[in-house]
Amino acid sequence: MEKNYSFNGYNKDIDLSDLDGEITFVDKGSPCGELMRRYWHPVILSEELSDLPKLVKILGEELVIFRDKSGKIGLLHKHCPHRGASLEFGIIADCGLICSYHGWHFDIDGSLIKAGSEPTKSPVHKRVKQGAYPTHEYEGIIFAYLGPEETKPEFPLYDVQENKKLKKIPFSIEIPCNWLQVYENTQDPIHVIHLHARSSGVQFGVASGVDQIIEYDDTPLGMINIQTRLVGNHVWTRTTESILPNGNQTGAIWEEAEKEKFFQRTSMLRWMVPLDNTNTKTVGWRYFSEDLDPRSQGDETLIGLESIDFVGQTKDERSYVESQKQPGDYEAQVSQRPIAVHKLENLASSDTGVAKLRNMIRKSIRDLEKGVKISPPKKNECGHISTYTQDTVIKANLNEEQQRKFSRSLIANIKSNDKLSPDLRQKKVMENCRKFIKDLS
């Protein structure tokens, strides 16, 4: 019998007017923009700075970044306060930057050192100061703080950043869409099964395509999703982390859960930095070790400016036809429109993590508007900020209920021991997992 089709394209209302600007717009003065300006953000890789100034955009602001001849980094407003010429055409000096138009000379904090041909005692030197932001350079990445000086937090150092056993390679990738649809992808573990395994073929580890039990939990830094799978005769629990407002850590790219491991740490720390409302730059480090990549599937030579060593992250790595046949994160995120229209979505139970992350960001924004002080993450007694991304694999054949209990016990242990060193946390996790399995027998 021939099927009777019913088409409703003409009557389907597509209203693009509501872009949920409270959590998507990042301009100065916007709710989300003000939240973002209370945190440090990566701007560019150190290798991008040469003997010339560089024009950059972050949070909707056009800025000029440079390293002066003394080695200090400046981040100034683009337009010279004298007559508006762009400082991207400036001359790098021993101290600061000189505007090429009339020779006005600025220090890295925007102080006017010399107003070109004006007399040294001219009052203009005290009256004029160029807009400038503080920077911090760390392991190949230059960060900046664009908020009020009185609320500037200490530069955060997370536990994985201080892990000397890891090789760390910085990278930077631009994505032409709103920051939030890039960021919330990290709390959408269901897409890993479909996009990265069943739809496009295996793009990461084969084990990532195994059905999983998914739960979510808050952390002192934001939230984690908790993925538990039975892979052969091993139970694998992974946690993927959102460090508010826009940081992320994830586990080993090609994890196969073939042997036991406990509290194995992240393969990547990155930030989804809004350049403006419709462009994002993902900046961070790819981490390498024998434990994270036992088969040497990663390729360090592919990591850097506009490049990373796993598929589907950039525009030009494949042809359009290839990306249609095997789409990746880039295609999924960018094709949601320049700013995803939340009002047109039909969220389901599998979108719990996305909804939770949006709500956490929205709450942070509203708290700031109410005058609630943002508390920066605190270092523990070991001198770093503990994080919660990890992979744990144990040899066991557990039913679904037992897997849930195992993962909940694991997460409780990880969170309760976050004041300890990473090595001690790993030891505690192993002891806890062994005890759990023993108590079942």
Side-chain angles (χ1 to χ4, degrees), residues 72-83:
K72 294 179 181 178
I73 296 172
L75 184 64
L76 305 179
H77 285 181
K78 175 182 177 180
H79 296 284
C80 178
H82 175 217
R83 296 267 300 281

Side-chain angles (χ1 to χ4, degrees), residues 53-275:
K54 185 175 180 64
L55 180 65
V56 296
K57 181 184 274 191
I58 179 172
L59 301 181
E61 296 188 39
E62 287 191 308
L63 306 168
V64 173
I65 191 167
F66 62 94
R67 190 192 303 274
D68 70 18
K69 292 181 181 179
S70 75
K72 294 179 181 178
I73 296 172
L75 184 64
L76 305 179
H77 285 181
K78 175 182 177 180
H79 296 284
C80 178
H82 175 217
R83 296 267 300 281
S86 175
L87 293 176
E88 69 188 289
F89 303 108
I91 302 164
I92 291 177
D94 291 334
C95 175
L97 185 71
I98 301 170
C99 179
S100 60
Y101 196 17
H102 296 98
W104 284 37
H105 183 184
F106 303 96
D107 208 336
I108 63 167
D109 67 348
S111 298
L112 181 57
I113 297 172
K114 181 72 172 71
S117 298
E118 292 296 310
T120 303
K121 294 183 179 180
S122 170
V124 73
H125 293 96
K126 293 182 179 180
R127 176 167 52 85
V128 174
K129 188 171 184 179
Q130 175 69 336
Y133 294 115
T135 63
H136 184 90
E137 188 170 19
Y138 185 81
E139 294 195 332
I141 299 178
I142 299 168
F143 293 75
Y145 173 75
L146 274 67
E149 188 171 7
E150 63 272 16
T151 61
K152 184 180 74 173
E154 183 180 0
F155 181 77
L157 279 179
Y158 299 105
D159 48 11
V160 292
Q161 291 171 284
E162 299 197 304
N163 187 340
K164 306 304 180 186
K165 299 175 184 178
L166 298 175
K167 185 171 185 179
K168 306 161 190 175
I169 304 179
F171 68 92
S172 173
I173 296 170
E174 287 197 25
I175 308 166
C177 66
N178 183 257
W179 77 278
L180 186 57
Q181 60 215 62
V182 182
Y183 188 44
E184 65 192 19
N185 187 65
T186 64
Q187 288 301 333
D188 179 15
I190 288 291
H191 93 275
V192 176
I193 295 176
H194 294 279
L195 182 64
H196 299 308
R198 298 175 185 174
S199 300
S200 299
V202 176
Q203 294 182 331
F204 302 147
V206 174
S208 295
V210 175
D211 284 324
Q212 56 195 331
I213 298 167
I214 301 173
E215 296 185 302
Y216 302 89
D217 200 0
D218 295 347
T219 74
L221 304 178
M223 66 176 286
I224 51 175
N225 65 63
I226 307 153
Q227 310 163 37
T228 303
R229 300 169 172 89
L230 185 62
V231 183
N233 60 350
H234 288 86
V235 174
W236 168 28
T237 295
R238 161 168 289 187
T239 51
T240 299
E241 182 170 17
S242 293
I243 301 172
L244 294 181
N246 61 332
N248 162 251
Q249 289 192 127
T250 190
I253 304 297
W254 293 283
E255 179 62 59
E256 295 295 2
E258 297 169 302
K259 64 178 183 179
E260 289 193 333
K261 59 188 67 179
F262 302 94
F263 200 60
Q264 176 179 278
R265 303 315 308 275
T266 177
S267 67
M268 188 163 43
L269 170 61
R270 57 186 174 173
W271 290 262
M272 287 66 171
V273 183
L275 303 183

